Amino acid sequence: MHTIQGSQRTTAVHTDSRITLEAIANPRNLQSLVESIRKEIRTLEEDGWIIHFTWVKAHNGNCGNEIADHLAKEAAFSTYVDTAYIKIQKSAVTSELKEKGVQTWQREWDASNKGELTKTFFPIVKERISKRLQMCINFSMIITGHGKLRTYFHRFKMIDDPTCLCKMALP
């Protein structure tokens, strides 16, 4: 680091990584590590620093580069890790979103005053989802209460008694 004319400070960053220099220079590269480097650069520039980046050829006898390589290898093999970058698997995010969806569905299911007959069969949404049910017309009629059922005909005053077992023809 060098100080030039009082408060203005200048430094040069030498690297043998062209890809790093290109990533920092590319505004479309939004990787978190690149973004944090850019943030540090902006902070230093706001404090009056002038920063120059230069590329140096690797393993070419440059003393500073050799020391940097040695320190990088030492850090990579040390047991102390000061920063960890954790990537969350897509499946974990998907599972969490599905769980939140089921919880929302359950709250709405509990709050609704519709489908009371169906709720008697399936009060807990999560348990219903886990069941493999073969859908058919009779099953649908039973859990919805719609169709050629005595209770359905009684509700619409087509028959007098929903519990009557006589063989009287249904409409």
Side-chain angles (χ1 to χ4, degrees), residues 98-99 101-103 105-106 122 124-133:
K98 281 182 182 178
E99 182 62 31
V102 170
Q103 289 171 358
W105 187 0
Q106 185 68 52
F122 308 111
I124 299 173
V125 172
K126 191 172 188 173
E127 289 176 9
R128 163 54 190 100
I129 293 171
S130 67
K131 289 182 169 82
R132 307 274 304 166
L133 300 173

Side-chain angles (χ1 to χ4, degrees), residues 9-150:
R9 296 170 284 190
T10 303
T11 191
V13 177
H14 303 283
T15 179
D16 61 3
S17 174
R18 277 196 176 135
I19 196 164
T20 301
L21 293 174
E22 291 169 2
I24 293 169
N26 182 357
R28 291 178 289 173
N29 187 328
L30 303 175
Q31 292 177 352
S32 62
L33 184 57
V34 173
E35 285 292 308
S36 77
I37 291 170
R38 285 192 195 115
K39 183 180 176 187
E40 291 297 325
I41 293 169
R42 281 191 299 274
T43 302
L44 288 170
E45 288 175 340
E46 288 169 1
D47 288 342
W49 283 90
I50 297 172
I51 304 165
H52 298 283
F53 290 90
T54 59
W55 176 80
V56 295
K57 188 173 180 178
H59 311 292
N60 199 30
N62 181 310
C63 182
N65 185 256
E66 297 299 327
I67 292 171
D69 281 347
H70 173 74
L71 291 173
K73 286 177 188 170
E74 193 176 286
F77 292 112
S78 73
T79 56
Y80 173 75
V81 178
D82 137 296
T83 304
Y85 295 95
I86 299 170
K87 291 188 177 192
I88 300 172
Q89 293 179 347
K90 182 179 176 182
S91 60
V93 174
T94 303
S95 295
E96 186 174 335
L97 288 174
K98 281 182 182 178
E99 182 62 31
K100 286 183 180 183
V102 170
Q103 289 171 358
T104 301
W105 187 0
Q106 185 68 52
R107 280 193 304 276
E108 291 177 9
W109 184 246
D110 293 339
S112 174
N113 60 359
K114 296 185 178 187
E116 292 300 324
L117 179 61
T118 306
K119 286 182 184 180
T120 61
F121 291 103
F122 308 111
I124 299 173
V125 172
K126 191 172 188 173
E127 289 176 9
R128 163 54 190 100
I129 293 171
S130 67
K131 289 182 169 82
R132 307 274 304 166
L133 300 173
Q134 188 66 33
M135 296 304 285
C136 66
I137 189 74
N138 292 334
F139 182 74
S140 291
M141 284 191 304
I142 291 170
I143 64 169
T144 63
H146 294 275
K148 294 188 177 196
L149 301 170
R150 292 189 177 279

